Amino acid sequence: MPMEPFKILKTLESRKGFELKVLKALGTELTVQTQNMLYHLGEEWRQMVLWKLPPSKEISSAETVMQTELHLRTMPLKEDQIAGSPVASVLQAFAVLGELHTRLKLFGQLLLKYILKPLISYPSLRPLLEEQPDTVVLHFESAEPNLEHPSPMEVFGKITLVLEVLHKHLLNVSLDECGENDKDSRVVLAEMLGDMVWEEVSGCLIQECLVYSIPANSSKLEQYVEVIKSTEEFEKSLKNMGFLKGDATDLLKYARNVNSHFANKKCQDVIVAARKLMTSEIHNTVKITPDSSVAIPKLPDPGAGDNLKMQKASKMLHNELINLENETKLSQQTFSLPTCHISVSVEKLMELAYQTLVEATTSTDQCCIQLFYSVRNIFHLFYDVVPIYHKENLQKLPQLAAIHHNNCMYIAHHLLTLGHQFRYCLTNILYDGAATFVDLVPGFRRLGLECFLAQMRVQKGELLERLSSARNFSNMDNEENYSAANKAARQVLHQLKRLGKVWQDVLPVNIYCKAMGTLLNTALSEIINRITALEDISAEDADRLHSLCRIMLEEGPLVFTPLLEENKNKKYQEEVPVYVQKWMMFKELMIILQANLQEIVDRWADGKGPLAAEFSPTEVKSLIRALFQNTERRAATLAKIK
């Protein structure tokens, strides 16, 4: 085929002495004739490759794509046309005119948007081939998909069918792109189209298909060999048709790297599941007892390759047992959690952690390490997310603060032994002390404690605020003052009883009693301070103050109801002096309010009596001065208090 006219013209124009007007005229005529040829070739091409596209340019559903059709001519257009492929002739003409790449690129864009990508994205679509006398029609049919995400094998089959049709009727052509019979200038049309669309097709196959084929459980990893094999066969068929060249593409590399993708997917699923649990309601609880255990699958038996490691582990355990035999035996419940309530979500979170570590024991080394650290990330995430996400409720609701406290202690309890339980089942890289969670324990204990102490400060503030309306417990002979003080004392008891019911059966008994004891002690301490600060207490004032104190003394222990069974709470109500530091001091104050001078001296007993155990000489003298008139007898009594 002769050299392109444009090249000849440019060669002439570059020579000296050829600034002829005829060359400009030839150039203009050449441009006109070229555009005329391109127009006619375009018309021929549109009849050979006819697209029928949906009215809407946006592909929003499978129904929209169903309107797409691609018609390919298989016979010459005219009876007098010479034998041979009309498609090849038109494409060769495009190549000579430098238009081939543009035409093929436009075709590739339509192919991607309306056929290849929809086949990957919509499982319900199936390619359908209809052969007519001189045309092949490629369109779609709809079928109910078996799965939400089809198998790679199914999608590969669809794509292969479409490309086989194109290869057979359109692209199985080798062209001379430069218009010269030069072997180096010849191009394979399928290869050219492949270069244009393969990157997007393979990316779509990975994101819309292969991603979802990665197993969620390590036990199914062996079955993934089928996917790798089908990916290899898919690429092989594309190479045979000329769409692909060279070594393995990103698609095959992705499929072969299944272990890494499995680990990444598993870790992502674990973190997503964990975050969902952390942002669920805290108040849905479950009761745990010292006998409670996390529901996890049985750990796998050690493999043959782990014999050496297991021998070492067995020897270490044997030595530990020998050492234990020489020591005093501990109670079976020494390391057990006390009975309390924790959030259902936290129990599930711990089960997720155990199950993920079990999964790690059956995985490859790299996957095992990733899964182990994803479990550590669960706890880091809890530490960061829960206090912020539930901040408002943890501040406002004492029950949730108590549950959160239990949740943190429950997690810390399991973190103590979690790494040790899996120590001999994980990869050698994590063996010998590396697989540990013990370093996280102090942080979780602190997290639970800080939240509960913040709630305790809120409750203390409310108690003191109620007592601030008692008018300093002064002038109790005034009915209004006495009524205000009586109301404040009743409000304090009501608050404590309500709080006792809120924490009942939620907090561990020992924590419950310490918390209630601390709050009751706050109230009693405030009352003691207010009364001992009075400078003058009349006999009627003393009687009424004694009456108020008796209310606290009689009803105070009743706020201790850690258990649902009322009859079992009596034990803790009788032990109030153990939990309320100022209890005995409060009782001594009541006695002083009703005692005479001699009784006070007797209870002081030269600084060795019960009164001296609770009050300092200065405090007792101050009370005597407030309660009794200045007489010689009072002076004699004051002299004995030292």
Side-chain angles (χ1 to χ4, degrees):
M1 188 173 286
M3 187 183 293
E4 291 183 40
F6 278 111
K7 288 185 178 180
I8 298 171
L9 194 62
K10 285 181 180 180
T11 302
L12 288 172
E13 287 177 344
S14 65
R15 295 177 183 175
K16 291 181 180 180
F18 277 87
E19 298 87 359
L20 302 175
K21 291 183 179 180
V22 68
L23 292 180
K24 291 183 180 180
L26 282 172
T28 303
E29 181 64 19
L30 185 59
T31 301
V32 170
Q33 292 300 329
T34 301
Q35 292 304 316
N36 189 35
M37 286 181 66
L38 285 174
Y39 171 77
H40 288 293
L41 285 170
E43 289 298 307
E44 293 285 320
W45 174 251
R46 274 188 285 275
Q47 291 182 55
M48 294 174 180
V49 181
L50 177 64
W51 286 95
K52 292 186 179 180
L53 302 176
S56 173
K57 291 184 179 181
E58 295 299 321
I59 303 299
S60 57
S61 65
E63 287 71 22
T64 308
V65 185
M66 286 285 291
Q67 302 174 58
T68 300
E69 288 184 8
L70 174 59
H71 296 246
L72 299 174
R73 291 277 183 179
T74 57
M75 296 291 288
L77 294 176
K78 299 176 183 177
E79 292 182 4
D80 59 347
Q81 187 171 343
I82 58 171
S85 169
V87 173
S89 302
V90 171
L91 290 172
Q92 183 62 73
F94 278 136
V96 170
L97 296 173
E99 187 74 9
L100 179 63
H101 192 273
T102 303
R103 293 286 171 173
L104 208 56
K105 186 176 181 180
L106 178 60
F107 177 81
Q109 289 171 346
L110 294 173
L111 184 69
L112 271 172
K113 183 176 180 179
Y114 292 101
I115 294 182
L116 297 182
K117 283 188 175 181
L119 282 176
I120 300 168
S121 301
Y122 300 110
S124 61
L125 291 179
R126 302 281 186 276
L128 195 63
L129 189 64
E130 183 182 332
E131 295 193 9
Q132 297 176 359
D134 60 348
T135 308
V136 171
V137 180
L138 188 64
H139 56 98
F140 295 109
E141 64 177 350
S142 182
E144 191 67 31
N146 297 325
L147 301 167
E148 183 181 357
H149 301 289
S151 69
M153 290 75 89
E154 186 179 342
V155 176
F156 293 160
K158 296 177 184 179
I159 301 298
T160 303
L161 175 62
V162 171
L163 294 181
E164 282 176 346
V165 171
L166 294 178
H167 182 261
K168 180 179 179 182
H169 299 289
L170 181 66
L171 302 173
N172 190 18
V173 178
S174 178
L175 300 176
D176 185 359
E177 192 174 18
C178 298
E180 299 175 350
N181 290 319
D182 186 353
K183 290 183 180 179
D184 294 334
S185 68
R186 300 194 71 77
V187 293
V188 177
L189 215 56
E191 188 178 298
M192 186 183 291
L193 182 66
D195 288 340
M196 293 175 178
V197 303
W198 178 247
E199 186 176 345
E200 281 198 57
V201 170
S202 62
C204 191
L205 283 168
I206 291 170
Q207 296 301 321
E208 301 285 342
C209 182
L210 283 184
V211 164
Y212 300 105
S213 70
I214 302 296
N217 195 294
S218 58
S219 61
K220 296 180 180 178
L221 274 173
E222 291 183 7
Q223 300 174 14
Y224 198 79
V225 174
E226 296 178 15
V227 176
I228 298 173
K229 187 177 180 181
S230 66
T231 307
E232 290 172 347
E233 291 174 352
F234 174 61
E235 290 203 353
K236 186 178 179 181
S237 67
L238 297 191
K239 287 177 183 177
N240 290 339
M241 289 186 282
F243 287 100
L244 283 181
K245 58 181 178 180
D247 299 327
T249 66
D250 290 343
L251 183 71
L252 188 53
K253 287 176 184 175
Y254 185 93
R256 286 174 176 168
N257 201 16
V258 63
N259 285 318
S260 174
H261 300 314
F262 165 74
N264 293 337
K265 180 182 179 182
K266 186 70 181 179
C267 292
Q268 184 180 8
D269 290 347
V270 165
I271 294 300
V272 168
R275 189 177 180 86
K276 186 177 180 181
L277 290 170
M278 292 172 203
T279 53
S280 63
E281 295 295 339
I282 296 177
H283 67 259
N284 296 326
T285 63
V286 60
K287 190 170 187 174
I288 61 165
T289 65
D291 300 325
S292 300
S293 59
V294 177
I296 59 167
K298 185 180 177 182
L299 287 177
D301 294 328
D306 295 331
N307 285 340
L308 188 62
K309 184 166 73 174
M310 292 309 297
Q311 285 171 13
K312 181 180 177 183
S314 178
K315 185 177 180 181
M316 289 175 67
L317 289 172
H318 179 68
N319 291 337
E320 288 171 9
L321 289 172
I322 291 174
N323 291 335
L324 280 176
E325 286 175 3
N326 297 329
E327 302 291 335
T328 304
K329 290 189 177 179
L330 300 172
S331 164
Q332 286 187 343
Q333 295 188 352
T334 299
F335 293 107
S336 297
L337 274 171
T339 300
C340 65
H341 272 77
I342 63 167
S343 300
V344 172
S345 58
V346 166
E347 185 183 48
K348 290 181 178 177
L349 189 73
M350 192 52 65
E351 287 178 8
L352 176 67
Y354 274 92
Q355 287 164 359
T356 305
L357 288 174
V358 170
E359 187 89 37
T361 62
T362 61
S363 303
T364 61
D365 283 2
Q366 184 57 40
C367 183
C368 177
I369 293 168
Q370 283 185 254
L371 289 175
F372 169 78
Y373 281 103
S374 74
V375 174
R376 280 187 63 94
N377 287 339
I378 287 176
F379 300 115
H380 284 300
L381 194 66
F382 184 98
Y383 192 93
D384 293 333
V385 168
V386 172
I388 303 300
Y389 187 85
H390 298 284
K391 182 179 180 180
E392 190 175 343
N393 285 336
L394 292 176
Q395 289 175 342
K396 289 182 178 179
L397 305 174
Q399 185 186 37
L400 293 193
I403 294 169
H404 177 65
H405 166 271
N406 295 348
N407 289 343
C408 292
M409 296 306 168
Y410 175 81
I411 291 172
H413 173 79
H414 280 281
L415 292 178
L416 279 170
T417 57
L418 187 60
H420 187 75
Q421 291 175 66
F422 289 89
R423 179 180 176 185
Y424 304 116
C425 302
L426 297 173
T427 173
N428 286 326
I429 303 168
L430 294 173
Y431 181 70
D432 209 11
T436 184
F437 296 88
V438 175
D439 58 307
L440 303 176
V441 171
F444 270 89
R445 287 178 176 168
R446 187 169 56 251
L447 185 67
L449 195 59
E450 285 176 354
C451 174
F452 191 66
L453 289 178
Q455 185 58 228
M456 287 287 286
R457 287 192 291 273
V458 170
Q459 296 300 325
K460 282 183 179 181
E462 290 183 10
L463 288 174
L464 294 174
E465 188 178 344
R466 296 182 196 286
L467 288 173
S468 68
S469 65
R471 302 190 180 183
N472 290 329
F473 293 91
S474 62
N475 301 322
M476 288 292 100
D477 52 350
N478 181 297
E479 285 298 329
E480 193 175 329
N481 286 0
Y482 176 72
S483 177
N486 186 61
K487 182 181 178 181
R490 291 289 180 187
Q491 285 179 337
V492 164
L493 288 169
H494 176 73
Q495 179 184 333
L496 290 174
K497 285 178 182 176
R498 180 171 51 82
L499 197 59
K501 288 294 181 184
V502 165
W503 286 344
Q504 185 182 62
D505 201 43
V506 173
L507 284 170
V509 170
N510 65 321
I511 302 294
Y512 177 100
C513 291
K514 285 180 182 178
M516 294 303 297
T518 300
L519 293 173
L520 180 56
N521 191 70
T522 297
L524 297 185
S525 182
E526 181 68 10
I527 293 171
I528 291 169
N529 291 338
R530 295 287 178 89
I531 293 175
T532 54
L534 296 173
E535 294 180 359
D536 184 31
I537 304 172
S538 67
E540 188 177 352
D541 286 347
D543 287 340
R544 289 195 165 182
L545 286 171
H546 184 273
S547 173
L548 286 173
C549 290
R550 189 174 64 250
I551 293 171
M552 298 299 295
L553 193 72
E554 290 174 354
E555 298 188 26
L558 300 181
V559 304
F560 285 79
T561 54
L563 302 176
L564 292 171
E565 303 86 346
E566 286 297 327
N567 59 326
K568 291 185 179 180
N569 288 325
K570 290 180 181 178
K571 171 190 173 185
Y572 304 104
Q573 292 166 1
E574 292 168 357
E575 293 176 351
V576 165
V578 177
Y579 304 111
V580 183
Q581 186 183 356
K582 299 283 187 179
W583 186 257
M584 298 310 295
M585 189 180 193
F586 190 73
K587 290 182 76 172
E588 287 299 319
L589 177 63
M590 286 181 63
I591 292 170
I592 291 176
L593 290 171
Q594 291 284 285
N596 57 40
L597 288 170
Q598 185 57 48
E599 287 171 340
I600 292 173
V601 171
D602 291 342
R603 293 196 71 79
W604 183 258
D606 295 328
K608 298 176 183 178
L611 182 58
E614 304 300 334
F615 286 96
S616 68
T618 304
E619 291 170 331
V620 175
K621 287 178 180 181
S622 177
L623 281 168
I624 291 172
R625 290 189 183 100
L627 287 163
F628 298 94
Q629 292 180 349
N630 188 7
T631 62
E632 290 182 8
R633 197 175 171 196
R634 189 185 82 168
T637 301
L638 288 172
K640 292 177 182 178
I641 307 297
K642 56 186 178 181

